[in-house]
Amino acid sequence: MTDYVHPELRNIAGDLPEAKLAEIGNEVYDSWRYDEESRSGWMADHAQWLKIYYQQDKPINPPWNGSSSESLPLLAEACTQFQARAFKAMFPGRNIIKAIPVGKDDPKSLERAKRVGAHMSWQLMVKDKNYKRNKDRLLLSVPLHGSCFTKTYYDPIRKRNIVENVRAVDLVVPFGTGPRDVEDIERKTQTVYMSINRSRILKEAGYFIDEATPYIFKDRSKVDQAHDEVHGLSESHQDPNPPAMLLERHGLYDLDDDGIAEPYIVVVDAESKKVLRVAIRYETDELGKPSNWKEPVEYFSHYAYMENPDGFYGLGLGHLISQPNISVNKLLRQIVDAGTLANAGNHSGFISSHLAGIDGDEVEIKLGKFKKLPGSADDLNRGIWQFKFPGPQAALIQIMDLLMSRSDRLATVTEALTGQTEKVMQPTTILALIDQGLQVFSTVYERINGSWSSELEKVYALNYKHLDPVEYFAVLDVDGALRQYQVGREDYAPDLQILPVADPKMVTEQHRLAKAQAEWQFLSTNPL
């Protein structure tokens, strides 16, 4: 007797004719290539931003061999500052999730909501060892690239929920105009890299109908090439175990020939174009009866730094300050090169071949020594011509300062926010500057919080379907006491609202302390 598999997790590829599978495999591969080509310029921009972030962008036309290639880390500082503040605000403590009853809030519902919030916090922060680390990575990718995604699903092999980061470069969508939400795009393809051994395990478990094929990298993406270049990495052509590249298509297919395409997930091996898996992407009951009119189940949550009013991928600091960073780097190099010419160039020049006592084509001066030459000093002055480079111009420094100050405003990394004010100010004045400077950050973080809420709702729905009937867990309460809880699948009935505990408006410790002090004063004067 085989183990029960929920209809939404079954691989139905083995039930389809070979001709149909071949047709689907070719369609997935061809449309993926078309979609990739439609965003080639987008990929080139992101590759350039990576080089700027790692301070590896080089001058296009250097004035001489060995000239300045220095750069200022405006983009890196902006992304790091955002990541540090957002990560601290996102995880203020052990409990990161709260559940709110929808409708009547009787004591039983409130107790259940508290239990569910504690369980989900334990599930993601303790049971899942990579959840917090992946959010750390995501918060650094979002400001740089403008977009990052998470995919939330239940893994029947590992028997648990999975929340994994998906780079924007790895989620390919078709060309389109106007703002589009990830839920509304009917065709999206995730590129997944997997070892051949892992694909064999999935085949043995029935998740795939066949194992994958090693992928021969004909052309790596520009973003991956830029990443490898700045880190000094190169692909080995003698790798004995090259990985496979899979194309996981979330799209619509008419497999029952009724004239209406339904949502499915198709996994195709990119090298052989062979279909490895086909699964439904709509909700059913345990017997396989569809619900909600076969509405697509969305796996991806879109984290955007700024909403794009005219497209799909979000806008990030790469869009906003990469060009000012390039301009600042150019000015910095001109200043350094001008200083180099003033220092070394002014000690260079030409010597007349008619000067007596000087042999050879070049003369090297040894400091602290004098050399006797025949003739008068006037002959020496007339026979030597020295360069007179003026050095860096003050206007270049002023323009560079202007660009840097504007970039700092866009990136919200002003002096007050970085804790490095040059002037002595009153504490209230500094707090007011911080409050005003955090307006942009608070807005961005509130957007991140909304995406996080969408992701947590997906985890909640998966628990309702796949959680063990009874699960025991223990958490530390605020008072430090260890509490034992018991939660079951019925606790995740779809009548609770799931929200992060973090408050987008309380993004600094000073804000939290001020709020706590105000609450204490209110309660101390109004005990009832």
Side-chain angles (χ1 to χ4, degrees):
M1 182 177 179
T2 59
D3 294 335
Y4 170 78
V5 178
H6 195 282
E8 298 176 22
L9 304 176
R10 294 174 186 169
N11 185 1
I12 63 174
D15 302 333
L16 301 176
E18 289 292 334
K20 187 65 174 179
L21 291 177
E23 176 187 343
I24 293 175
N26 288 325
E27 184 275 331
V28 168
Y29 182 83
D30 293 340
S31 58
W32 167 72
R33 294 294 300 178
Y34 173 81
D35 295 340
E36 276 281 47
E37 292 173 0
S38 70
R39 61 173 195 167
S40 59
W42 179 89
M43 297 280 281
D45 288 341
H46 286 258
Q48 178 68 16
W49 300 342
L50 268 178
K51 293 181 179 180
I52 297 173
Y53 177 84
Y54 288 108
Q55 302 173 60
Q56 294 292 324
D57 61 313
K58 302 299 181 184
I60 299 176
N61 296 310
W64 66 81
N65 187 23
S67 62
S68 172
S69 61
E70 283 81 0
S71 61
L72 287 175
L74 302 184
L75 185 58
E77 182 182 7
C79 294
T80 304
Q81 287 283 338
F82 173 83
Q83 185 267 351
R85 293 199 294 263
F87 186 78
K88 187 69 175 178
M90 204 170 191
F91 298 99
R94 299 186 187 96
N95 296 324
I96 61 171
I97 298 168
K98 58 185 175 183
I100 302 174
V102 177
K104 187 178 180 180
D105 55 348
D106 56 275
K108 186 177 180 181
S109 297
L110 293 174
E111 179 61 29
R112 174 176 153 243
K114 180 181 178 181
R115 188 166 61 248
V116 167
H119 175 255
M120 286 189 65
S121 297
W122 171 84
Q123 189 180 34
L124 296 177
M125 296 289 286
V126 179
K127 191 175 182 180
D128 190 341
K129 305 300 182 183
N130 294 321
Y131 187 80
K132 190 174 182 180
R133 186 179 183 185
N134 284 337
K135 284 293 177 287
D136 196 3
R137 295 165 173 163
L138 179 143
L139 291 174
L140 196 56
S141 177
V142 167
L144 176 60
H145 297 288
S147 286
C148 192
F149 302 85
T150 60
K151 185 172 70 171
T152 309
Y153 62 97
Y154 179 77
D155 188 336
I157 309 302
R158 289 176 277 190
K159 304 293 184 183
R160 62 183 179 89
N161 298 334
I162 303 294
V163 181
E164 64 182 25
N165 290 349
V166 179
R167 301 183 305 168
V169 67
D170 291 329
L171 188 64
V172 187
V173 299
F175 173 79
T177 57
R180 297 179 294 166
D181 295 327
V182 67
E183 298 84 3
D184 299 330
I185 297 180
E186 296 182 347
R187 182 179 83 219
K188 40 189 173 282
T189 309
Q190 180 193 357
T191 54
V192 180
Y193 300 95
M194 180 182 294
S195 69
I196 302 301
N197 188 65
R198 175 66 180 169
S199 73
R200 290 170 183 163
I201 294 174
L202 295 180
K203 177 192 174 184
E204 188 69 21
Y207 193 80
F208 288 165
I209 61 172
D210 202 350
E211 66 180 61
T213 308
Y215 184 72
I216 308 302
F217 285 94
K218 306 173 183 65
D219 49 346
R220 289 173 60 80
S221 70
K222 295 179 180 178
V223 174
D224 288 336
Q225 290 178 20
H227 177 273
D228 293 345
E229 181 181 342
V230 297
H231 285 89
L233 304 175
S234 61
E235 181 186 359
S236 173
H237 296 284
Q238 298 178 352
D239 187 355
N241 299 304
M245 187 173 78
L246 308 180
L247 306 177
E248 184 177 308
R249 166 64 55 81
H250 292 232
L252 302 177
Y253 293 93
D254 183 14
L255 300 184
D256 53 7
D257 296 325
D258 63 350
I260 299 176
E262 285 105 9
Y264 288 90
I265 299 176
V266 179
V267 180
V268 176
D269 179 57
E271 184 65 27
S272 64
K273 303 181 185 179
K274 184 167 34 179
V275 176
L276 304 181
R277 177 176 174 82
V278 178
I280 62 175
R281 194 166 57 94
Y282 51 85
E283 293 184 346
T284 69
D285 60 17
E286 295 185 352
L287 299 178
K289 182 179 179 180
S291 58
N292 297 329
W293 299 93
K294 294 186 177 181
E295 282 294 319
V297 174
E298 185 54 59
Y299 284 55
F300 298 99
S301 302
H302 187 183
Y303 287 79
Y305 184 83
M306 292 179 61
E307 290 294 339
N308 188 342
D310 299 309
F312 171 66
Y313 296 108
L315 305 178
L317 293 173
H319 297 84
L320 299 178
I321 65 174
S322 64
Q323 286 302 320
N325 204 157
I326 292 174
S327 300
V328 168
N329 290 345
K330 288 181 179 179
L331 292 171
L332 174 64
R333 291 162 187 163
Q334 291 180 30
I335 293 171
V336 173
D337 287 340
T340 302
L341 289 176
N343 293 333
N346 288 345
H347 296 283
S348 306
F350 299 98
I351 297 178
S352 173
S353 60
H354 299 292
L355 278 179
I358 299 179
D359 300 326
D361 295 331
E362 296 181 358
V363 176
E364 182 178 356
I365 300 175
K366 295 183 179 180
L367 298 180
K369 292 186 178 182
F370 291 88
K371 185 176 181 180
K372 185 183 293 186
L373 295 176
S376 64
D378 294 336
D379 294 335
L380 194 62
N381 289 332
R382 288 193 297 268
I384 296 178
W385 187 88
Q386 183 182 2
F387 288 107
K388 296 180 181 179
F389 295 106
Q393 298 182 15
L396 294 179
I397 300 176
Q398 293 173 358
I399 296 173
M400 188 176 71
D401 289 340
L402 175 63
L403 289 173
M404 290 175 60
S405 64
R406 292 297 176 180
S407 299
D408 289 345
R409 289 187 184 183
L410 281 173
T412 64
V413 288
T414 56
E415 292 179 355
L417 294 180
T418 57
Q420 298 177 351
T421 55
E422 293 182 356
K423 300 178 181 179
V424 178
M425 302 179 184
Q426 294 294 327
T428 54
T429 304
I430 295 178
L431 287 176
L433 290 175
I434 292 175
D435 184 70
Q436 290 299 315
L438 285 175
Q439 293 300 317
V440 174
F441 170 79
S442 300
T443 303
V444 175
Y445 180 64
E446 191 162 357
R447 196 175 297 119
I448 296 291
N449 226 34
S451 302
W452 194 18
S453 299
S454 175
E455 175 193 297
L456 295 176
E457 290 173 359
K458 294 179 176 65
V459 175
Y460 182 91
L462 291 176
N463 283 340
Y464 178 59
K465 293 180 182 178
H466 306 294
L467 187 69
D468 292 336
V470 177
E471 184 168 88
Y472 298 92
F473 66 100
V475 296
L476 288 173
D477 278 356
V478 179
D479 57 2
L482 188 65
R483 301 281 190 262
Q484 297 284 341
Y485 288 96
Q486 174 184 331
V487 70
R489 189 179 301 174
E490 66 276 2
D491 288 323
Y492 282 90
D495 59 352
L496 292 179
Q497 184 181 8
I498 303 300
L499 295 171
V501 170
D503 186 354
K505 298 179 180 63
M506 301 293 133
V507 294
T508 65
E509 195 66 27
Q510 288 82 0
H511 281 80
R512 295 190 183 95
L513 290 174
K515 180 180 179 182
Q517 185 179 11
E519 291 177 348
W520 178 82
Q521 290 177 348
F522 177 80
L523 291 174
S524 61
T525 55
N526 300 275
L528 298 181

